[in-house]
Amino acid sequence: MSSSVFYVLSDSVGETAELLAKAALSQFKDQNMKIQRIPYVDDEATMVDAFHLAHENNGMMAYTLVKPEFRVKMRELEQEFGIVAIDLMGPLLEQLENHLDEQPTLQPGLVHKLDEDYYKRVEAIEFAVKYDDGRDAKGILKADLILIGVSRTSKTPLSQFLAHKKLKVANVPIVPEVEPPEELFQVSPEKCIGLNINHEKLNHIRTERLKALGLDGSANYAKEDRIKKEIEYFNKVVEKIGCDTIDVSNKAVEETANVILRKIKR
């Protein structure tokens, strides 16, 4: 068989059509057909040019076009040029529309937008892990948001929850014996949020935590005097930074996250 070209047209990058074309061609042992992608088709002139190319190169075509008027034009050109042009998207969209009883958005490239969102989420999760618990102060300067608070104020789970919302979050523990990193005072106060907590609630949380670890619940870590000292120091740091605080005493992680997301939107 003489060589020919399989043209794949798309109103986005054209990966879907190309993959399907490759999968189909792989089923034929003796074929000498090249695949040429024509992406970002957004006018009828591009379609006409593609049919001229197919005519000159003994070609056939397949396309993934979401706009109905573009698919109608392709069918008209298929009849005019006498060249096979396979609609890979239209029939599936129509069947889904009937099954779901919902109009499609007809917006090109949404699958790649979903992919982009996925990778941003993964990147944010990796960021939260890398810069958890003040491990590397450099993360403070790179973060979308910095959470500060004393131990057991849900900084880590909150960072992870917000990472799933594609926010790069660093968190920094506030301990009286340790100077907060200088980077904390170099970023905009609007990027920082202090997690405040009632000392009695924190006493209960820490006591239960120690017991869960098989340790004495009366250790200094859970003593009220120690907790009050930590909270007092935390308040001084917050005042120096000039950032907002959220009382997490009786809030689940999801509730605190929603408060933060509303603040960011404002």
Side-chain angles (χ1 to χ4, degrees):
M1 179 181 176
S2 60
S3 64
S4 60
V5 182
F6 196 149
Y7 294 93
V8 291
L9 282 70
S10 174
D11 42 25
S12 184
V13 294
E15 286 180 354
T16 303
E18 184 176 11
L19 284 170
L20 281 169
K22 285 180 177 177
L25 286 171
S26 70
Q27 299 297 314
F28 298 89
K29 293 179 181 178
D30 300 320
Q31 56 83 15
N32 187 20
M33 198 173 203
K34 295 185 295 184
I35 297 174
Q36 182 171 327
R37 198 193 302 186
I38 302 177
Y40 304 112
V41 175
D42 59 1
D43 56 42
E44 293 185 0
T46 305
M47 300 179 210
V48 173
D49 289 344
F51 272 91
H52 280 294
L53 285 170
H55 179 73
E56 293 169 6
N57 294 289
N58 186 31
M60 63 177 290
M61 309 173 75
Y63 54 95
T64 52
L65 301 171
V66 297
K67 293 184 178 179
E69 61 269 28
F70 282 7
R71 299 201 300 270
V72 169
K73 184 62 178 178
M74 288 294 289
R75 289 194 291 271
E76 292 174 357
L77 291 169
E78 181 181 12
Q79 293 296 318
E80 180 182 337
F81 282 82
I83 291 171
V84 174
I86 305 161
D87 184 356
L88 299 174
M89 183 68 76
L92 182 56
L93 280 174
E94 290 166 7
Q95 291 298 323
L96 282 171
E97 182 180 343
N98 293 333
H99 183 76
L100 299 173
D101 193 24
E102 179 184 341
Q103 291 288 323
T105 61
L106 302 178
Q107 183 179 339
L110 284 182
V111 67
H112 298 288
K113 184 177 185 297
L114 290 173
D115 288 344
E116 184 181 346
D117 286 346
Y118 170 78
Y119 287 118
K120 283 183 177 178
R121 191 176 296 113
V122 170
E123 186 180 0
I125 292 169
E126 290 175 347
F127 186 95
V129 171
K130 183 175 181 179
Y131 298 109
D132 181 45
D133 208 30
R135 287 178 188 167
D136 186 346
K138 293 175 184 175
I140 294 170
L141 302 176
K142 301 174 185 177
D144 298 320
L145 182 71
I146 303 102
L147 301 176
I148 63 172
V150 299
S151 174
R152 310 312 298 174
T153 48
S154 299
K155 296 185 297 298
T156 295
L158 189 53
S159 296
Q160 287 291 331
F161 188 96
L162 291 168
H164 280 84
K165 303 296 181 182
K166 295 173 289 187
L167 286 171
K168 293 180 179 178
V169 184
N171 73 75
V172 180
I174 301 301
V175 184
E177 292 79 15
V178 180
E179 278 290 318
E182 281 300 315
E183 288 84 352
L184 204 53
F185 306 100
Q186 294 171 7
V187 296
S188 168
E190 292 180 356
K191 281 191 169 187
C192 294
I193 292 181
L195 304 177
N196 207 347
I197 190 168
N198 176 277
H199 73 276
E200 292 176 349
K201 179 71 173 180
L202 186 57
N203 170 258
H204 174 73
I205 292 171
R206 288 188 176 182
T207 300
E208 292 303 312
R209 175 62 175 167
L210 288 170
K211 289 179 180 177
L213 294 172
L215 301 173
D216 186 357
S218 63
N220 189 50
Y221 176 70
K223 285 183 178 177
E224 284 206 21
D225 288 346
R226 170 65 190 183
I227 288 171
K228 287 179 181 179
K229 180 181 177 182
E230 288 186 32
I231 292 174
E232 183 181 344
Y233 182 68
F234 162 81
N235 289 331
K236 288 179 180 178
V237 173
V238 165
E239 186 178 355
K240 185 177 178 181
I241 295 171
C243 65
D244 289 342
T245 62
I246 297 173
D247 190 339
V248 300
S249 302
N250 297 301
K251 286 186 175 67
V253 168
E254 294 85 350
E255 292 177 276
T256 307
N258 286 331
V259 172
I260 291 171
L261 291 170
R262 286 197 295 271
K263 283 178 176 287
I264 291 171
K265 285 180 181 178
R266 285 200 299 269

